Amino acid sequence: MILLNPGPVNVSERVRQALLKADICHRESEFTDLLHDIQAKLLKAFVPGAEAEYAAVLITGSGTAAVESALMSSIPHGKRILIINNGVYGERLSGMVGLHRLGVSELKYDWTAKPDPERLRLALRQHPEVHGVAMVHHETTTGLLNPVKDIAEVVDSQNRVFIVDAISGLAGETIDIAGSHMYMVAGTAGKCIQGFPGVSFVLVRKGFLERMRTYPKRSWYLHLTHYVDDQGRGTVPFTPAVQVYYAFNEALDELLEEGVAKRIQRYKKMAALIRTRMAALGIKPVLPPDRQSNSITAFYLPEGISYDTLHDRLKAAGYVIYAGQGNLENKIFRVANMGALTEAQFTGFLDAFEQACKAA
Ligand SMILES: *Cc1c(COP(=O)(O)O)cnc(C)c1O
């Protein structure tokens, strides 16, 4: 089955085979080696040249675990977080801080709109109790690329902490984590890095780590400095998904061999292929080109075909597309181009899509 949903993604045979490596105990040196390998590769891939300034913290859990861990571990007593929300995943950030009553009124936008850095600057001046700002890098809801660089500049100039959910962005979009002074960036193995779901990570600025140690613990499993301290000794606090770590390590080798910039270019090219052909078929994208990411496109449903019908016809041909969420449900469909897929496989999908529309 070809997966055109935004994770889990199709992985290469090489990554799949890595699942079959030897059984090991996570309290032995074999696991320490694996952990250190993964950490070094993550830093090389995402903070090249600034590896010494960041720590890569691994967590067994899907992407949400890394996001929640980053967010809830970065708020001192008496301080708050401001969320920029323009989609389902921004909404999730709000839900997390809301649960602990640690938010201030969020900066909310329409799901197709780009956040405005000047509005953030004003809000930060008005709210001295705000310690950090959190935002999604690539809003998977619509495939909208948020202006992380501009927002990072404002957060930095106002001396606040920037926490970024880059789960669906890392390895698919250009992001200058170190240059933009991002304090916390959450990612996952199971999207553009082309590993399996089950392990996620946070890239943390080392200077901030020391400050975080004095912050209250709000979760037993997800308290980030707990992981940092254990990983400093080459271990992890809880039983890790060892086999998934093996596959993650292999996927990072593949990423570094391909090159992060080349991976991003490949995704961009595949997204363009999909968009050009869809345009020729009269299928309209939800976002204008200047807001679109490299790895997912939201399209309005073709006239006269329901999402379920379209989905089922394509699935019968071997392709899984993705539905809209919230108020976009039954209005749009999404096509992700993440994963170890070839141009021929995307062309095969586009042919099948054309047939599925004709069958109407
Ligand atoms: C996929 C995704 C997540 C995490 O989802 P999980 O199902 O927990 O892996 C978080 N944020 C964004 C932007 C995502 O695309």
Side-chain angles (χ1 to χ4, degrees):
M1 199 63 73
I2 306 271
L3 301 180
L4 304 169
N5 49 289
V9 300
N10 291 109
V11 302
S12 71
E13 201 44 39
R14 175 175 162 192
V15 169
R16 185 185 319 286
Q17 286 304 321
L19 288 173
L20 305 178
K21 290 193 176 175
D23 297 338
I24 55 169
C25 171
H26 66 296
R27 299 293 177 215
E28 298 294 327
S29 63
E30 299 86 88
F31 183 75
T32 302
D33 293 345
L34 175 61
L35 183 68
H36 285 162
D37 256 13
I38 295 175
Q39 288 171 323
K41 288 169 198 172
L42 281 172
L43 295 172
K44 192 171 173 193
F46 301 117
V47 285
E51 286 98 327
E53 291 162 41
Y54 281 81
V57 187
L58 289 156
I59 299 173
T60 291
S62 78
T64 307
V67 174
E68 190 160 5
S69 176
L71 204 54
M72 298 326 299
S73 307
S74 59
I75 318 170
H77 271 299
K79 292 286 186 179
R80 301 279 174 139
I81 290 276
L82 188 148
I83 306 289
I84 299 174
N85 171 1
N86 61 342
V88 167
Y89 294 95
E91 202 83 45
R92 192 175 284 184
L93 295 174
S94 274
M96 287 171 188
V97 296
L99 199 65
H100 298 265
R101 300 180 197 282
L102 289 168
V104 290
S105 51
E106 59 183 15
L107 296 187
K108 199 167 179 151
Y109 291 88
D110 191 84
W111 285 2
T112 54
K114 256 189 181 183
D116 169 16
E118 289 316 307
R119 190 175 159 207
L120 173 66
R121 195 187 303 275
L122 219 70
L124 290 178
R125 285 191 185 136
Q126 285 167 353
H127 290 281
E129 76 280 21
V130 168
H131 175 73
V133 174
M135 188 177 77
V136 172
H137 174 205
H138 165 217
E139 239 322 335
T140 319
T141 315
T142 52
L144 189 149
L145 195 59
N146 271 328
V148 271
K149 187 167 183 281
D150 298 344
I151 296 291
E153 257 169 41
V154 173
V155 175
D156 201 38
S157 73
Q158 299 295 310
N159 293 312
R160 304 313 215 283
V161 171
F162 194 21
I163 302 140
V164 184
D165 167 353
I167 299 283
S168 65
L170 290 179
E173 306 293 334
T174 308
I175 182 171
D176 186 2
I177 294 170
S180 296
H181 300 139
M182 294 176 193
Y183 280 64
M184 296 266 211
V185 179
T188 186
K191 294 197 183 185
C192 307
I193 299 177
Q194 298 181 185
F196 287 102
V199 51
S200 54
F201 59 90
V202 186
L203 302 169
V204 193
R205 214 172 162 81
K206 278 193 181 155
F208 185 52
L209 265 180
E210 295 315 310
R211 286 161 56 192
M212 277 170 60
R213 287 184 207 287
T214 63
Y215 300 171
K217 190 170 189 165
R218 297 189 176 84
S219 163
W220 192 265
Y221 191 77
L222 296 175
H223 191 59
L224 203 66
T225 53
H226 192 179
Y227 285 83
V228 172
D229 292 343
D230 275 25
Q231 290 180 13
R233 297 194 306 270
T235 188
V236 285
F238 312 105
T239 312
V242 175
Q243 283 69 18
V244 180
Y245 281 51
Y246 276 141
F248 186 25
N249 196 27
E250 201 70 33
L252 285 166
D253 277 336
E254 279 188 348
L255 173 65
L256 291 167
E257 283 164 25
E258 181 175 5
V260 177
K262 288 231 172 81
R263 166 82 48 99
I264 293 170
Q265 280 313 308
R266 173 162 66 83
Y267 277 26
K268 197 186 191 82
K269 199 172 151 208
M270 292 309 117
L273 179 87
I274 294 166
R275 288 163 195 171
T276 306
R277 181 87 176 266
M278 288 291 184
L281 294 170
I283 307 295
K284 302 255 176 313
V286 173
L287 297 176
D290 67 330
R291 291 181 201 171
Q292 289 173 335
S293 73
N294 296 328
S295 64
I296 192 164
T297 319
F299 295 102
Y300 289 107
L301 284 165
E303 199 84 28
I305 307 183
S306 71
Y307 175 77
D308 288 342
T309 303
L310 184 65
H311 168 272
D312 293 354
R313 283 179 190 163
L314 286 167
K315 191 164 182 191
Y319 303 95
V320 174
I321 57 166
Y322 212 51
Q325 287 161 291
N327 60 11
L328 291 176
E329 205 182 330
N330 293 320
K331 289 192 187 124
I332 68 161
F333 67 98
R334 290 179 285 173
V335 179
N337 54 282
M338 298 173 182
L341 294 172
T342 62
E343 182 165 343
Q345 285 169 312
F346 287 111
T347 306
F349 160 69
L350 291 161
D351 292 344
F353 181 85
E354 192 168 348
Q355 287 307 316
C357 291
K358 275 188 193 146

